[in-house]
Amino acid sequence: MSGRVPQAEAQAGPVDWVSRAADQALRHAQDADGQVRLVTCASGASPSGPVHLGNLREFLTVHFVADELRRRGVPVRHLHSWDDYDRFRKVPAGVDASWAEHIGRPLSAVPDPWECHASWAEHFKAPLRAALAELGVEMEEISQTEMYKAGTYREQILLAVRERNRIDEILGRYRTKAKSPEPSSEQEAESLEESVAADDEAPAAPGDDLARFPFKPYCRECGRDTTTATAYDDESTDLAYTCSSCGFSGVTNLATQDEGKLVWKVDWPMRWTFEGVDFEPAGLDHATPGSSFTVGQEVAPLFGGRAPSFFGYGFVGFAGMQKMSSSAGGVPTATDALRVLEAPILRWLYVRRAPKQTFNIDFGPEVVRLYDEWDALGRKAADPAKRDAAVLAHERAVGPAAGPLPTSRVSVPFRTLSSVADVTAGSAELISQVIGQVGYAHESVADLEPRLSKAMQWTAEFVPAEDRTIVRETPDAERLAALEPRERQWLDLLLANLPTELELEAVTTVVYGVPKLAHGLAVDDAPTDEVKTDQKAFFRLLYNLLVGKDRGPRLPTLIVALGADKVRELLAAS
């Protein structure tokens, strides 16, 4: 623990859910003299599969609260528990069916089917660690496998066993309570709730105090948790059990051996006390009657502690898919999102909404609008007079207290970068060259990163083939031969006025000015209704002749990207 410091107040200005949660964490850590010890903000997850964008809310919610306290100068830690001592529940799609032999073993004891990490658990921890580093999230990690196997919780286990009747009485009061509409939802099962199994819900015969024993041993012979307690000696602390998987019968001594774990609804409140947790959120399921948190509030005092400051957060979905489940496979992870979203934007998606709000992440056309919205907010944030809750979210998103995350030195709209990437289908150097021609001066490709790479990846991966812009390789001779007189006039005027060295502003003037010239107006004159109608027809004609579609990227950008020679080749009469 660090030295004690006075409680720090939030600075004057806009207040958001992060500020309020930080205040609550401080109050929890405050003693009777108004002093605050090291504040512990905790998160937890079971590495049973890819840590998807739904699970990411667990990490980022705690990160933002801990980061707010850090900004205030309060000693704080983001403590993350990996529940890698939870059981392996099922073999997901894409994994050899033979891995079913590991069902019931700790995730840390299951081999990595892809043979690139030490275990199943480590295979799924690694990519998330890399993504969190890119997002600016720093946390102190704990492996529950290491904690249990090192005997760290022996005293707590023995206490829980001594108090098993009181614990069962607490659990019993909630077994008949109404459950949430989705009591075993995948997001709940794949997070801290993973280890609850059905131990505390199992029916018990009168006088049978072993049916819901608070400690579950892993079989010494086969390593699975398919064990049933058969006898317990309070004096010797010997727990006898049998295993339904391999038939083994044995005895583990709770005071000297470390061969199992507490059941979830006892384990979680035990950890609150052991780690001194002041703030820990969880999915909304955890706050329903009979859920882990409501039960844990009453179990925690048995360990000499109390429940932390808490709120439930809503689910995060992915447009076009069912609610995310890391056991189902094929759902986007933070690594996937960071291939197309700048780290501050991904942070912003989670911090700008109140935790109880649900939302979807859409990697389709919505990405372009998202970047536009982010850039507009950045311009607003540059004006101190406009600081409000939205700007506060922007401030939190751009980076942690340690400093802002990397952004492009030259800011180019994402829609411009993606349009050029789509049209050129070329190298970053070629895209950089065109971007310079359309008005965004820069010295090198590095000035456009990381946004350039995100735009290239999004265009290649998330723009459907039917929406891609494919430039014609040769002129559409049939369409050119069938041009109406006014259409031929438009093309002649365009080619006559198109500069050899294409600059976006000049090309824009010509493209919009051609129908004006055809009506005897100057390019700077205001368009008449007839001109506006002709502009639409002219634009459609250009798209037809250049890319074989009725629409596409913004025409001036498209023409600059193609270059004067290519445009003349495709538009000139044979």
Side-chain angles (χ1 to χ4, degrees), residues 104-168:
R105 290 175 178 147
L107 293 166
S108 54
V110 177
D112 178 6
W114 302 274
E115 300 182 345
C116 52
H117 292 86
S119 68
W120 182 280
E122 290 303 316
H123 181 88
F124 293 109
K125 290 180 189 178
L128 180 71
R129 287 189 178 115
L132 290 175
E134 186 173 345
L135 288 165
V137 176
E138 295 182 7
M139 58 190 192
E140 177 184 331
E141 298 179 44
I142 293 177
S143 161
Q144 288 305 316
T145 295
E146 294 176 4
M147 297 293 280
Y148 269 104
K149 295 185 77 170
T152 309
Y153 300 138
R154 280 183 187 172
E155 290 186 14
Q156 288 72 25
I157 291 170
L158 291 171
L159 187 154
V161 170
R162 287 196 302 271
E163 299 289 349
R164 61 188 180 273
N165 291 332
R166 292 177 63 188
I167 289 173
D168 190 57

Side-chain angles (χ1 to χ4, degrees), residues 36 42 74 126 182 228 231 257 297 333 336 338 383 394 434 470 487 517 541 566:
V36 177
V74 175
E182 298 175 289
T228 301
Q257 294 175 294
Q297 286 179 297
T333 64
D336 295 325
L338 287 170
D383 184 350
H394 181 274
V434 175
I470 308 298
E487 293 176 329
L517 294 173
L541 173 65
K566 185 64 175 180

